[in-house]
Structures are given as C-alpha cells and as structure tokens.
Amino acid sequence: MKNETEGGERVDADTVTRLRRVVGKLARQLNASATGEGLTPTQASVLGLVASRGPITIAALADLEQLNPTMLSRVIGRLDAAGLIRRVPDPTDLRTASLEATAEGTRVADRLRERRTAIVSECTERLSPTEAEALTQALPALEALTKQLASRLTPTGSGATG
C-alpha cells in the first residue's frame, strides 16, 4: 500500500514502517525522561497539559490525551494526591470541575519540559548540518501527520483534538 505525496511521489510500506518505528522509539526515549520526577510518562504528559493549558476541563484533557475515563481518573487522582494539580469546581455547574497545576506542579512540568528540550537540543547539535536541515524540513510534514493520526484515532472519528 502506497500513499501519494504532494509531488506525486509515494510513501511505500517500508518507509511507513520505518517512520512508525522511529516515532515510537523517539516517544519512548523522551517519555523515559519523566521518570526523573517520579512520574509515569502518562502522568508527566497529563501534568504538562494541565500546566500549559489549565485550567482545563477533564473532558478536554481526555480528548487531548486520548485516555479512557477510568485511566484518566487514576492519573488525575495520583497527580492531585501528589499536590501537583488541583480540581477547581465550575461555579455554574457544580457537577463538573476543571484542573489546574499547583505551583509545585508547574515547577515539575517546567523541569520536565526543560530536560526534554535540553536532551533533544544536545542530540540535534550532534547531527550533521545536512541531517539537521532535513529534520527541520520534515517538521511541517510530521505536524501534518500528527493531525491526520489524531483525526483517525479519536474515539468518535471526528478529529476533535487540541
């Protein structure tokens, strides 16, 4: 199975497999940096979203993280118990709440982001100029692929992600 690109070229199955593998490997390697704060990769991701986008509703967070409600509830409970996030009741609808990062949660999220940025920056500096340019040129295509995958993987298939 081949996918046609804008220039009429096709992305063959071997290339798609290589892409999937490298993206998975990159994700695992970056996620490993969350363990320095005593968080699982999922907890670090949720904390990062709450810190950067909060206050955020639990429903919006579930859409962004693409986690089932039970798993998300556990993650929120652990982050809340650790004092990294807090629930903020909606004054207009007491059945719902938003989440926001505490001061400590913001510090932890900042450290994680800075650590991940430093790691990627250090590694990209070791690339050849040709590799660094190819990586930069690939970013728009990778961002577009992310949007395509998000629309394909949402539970409703509606593509509603952030």
Side-chain angles (χ1 to χ4, degrees):
M1 180 174 167
K2 293 186 177 184
N3 300 313
E4 192 167 327
T5 63
E6 214 173 286
E9 300 171 15
R10 297 195 176 260
V11 179
D12 62 38
D14 289 339
T15 301
V16 170
T17 299
R18 283 179 61 204
L19 175 62
R20 185 183 49 77
R21 285 182 180 155
V22 75
V23 168
K25 194 178 283 189
L26 281 169
R28 286 188 299 277
Q29 290 170 341
L30 288 172
N31 284 342
S33 67
T35 58
E37 294 291 340
L39 300 175
T40 67
T42 301
Q43 290 167 348
S45 181
V46 168
L47 176 60
L49 281 171
V50 171
S52 67
R53 297 182 183 219
I56 185 170
T57 66
I58 295 169
L61 188 57
D63 283 346
L64 289 169
E65 280 295 310
Q66 296 184 351
L67 291 174
N68 71 54
T70 302
M71 173 66 141
L72 183 57
S73 179
R74 286 185 194 137
V75 170
I76 290 169
R78 288 189 179 115
L79 293 173
D80 189 17
L84 300 175
I85 64 171
R86 68 177 150 258
R87 297 169 200 257
V88 180
D90 181 341
T92 62
D93 183 356
L94 297 178
R95 297 170 297 167
T96 64
S98 292
L99 302 169
E100 65 182 16
T102 62
E104 179 60 17
T106 299
R107 284 190 290 274
V108 169
D110 288 347
R111 281 194 303 267
L112 285 169
R113 186 182 61 253
E114 289 166 6
R115 183 178 312 134
R116 288 174 172 170
T117 299
I119 289 167
V120 174
S121 179
E122 181 182 311
C123 292
T124 58
E125 288 173 8
R126 294 182 185 152
L127 297 175
S128 72
T130 302
E131 291 167 329
E133 178 62 22
L135 183 61
T136 300
Q137 293 298 317
L139 284 174
L142 291 170
E143 290 164 345
L145 178 60
T146 300
K147 288 180 183 177
Q148 290 295 321
L149 286 170
S151 68
R152 172 87 183 199
L153 298 176
T154 56
T156 62
S158 66
T161 62

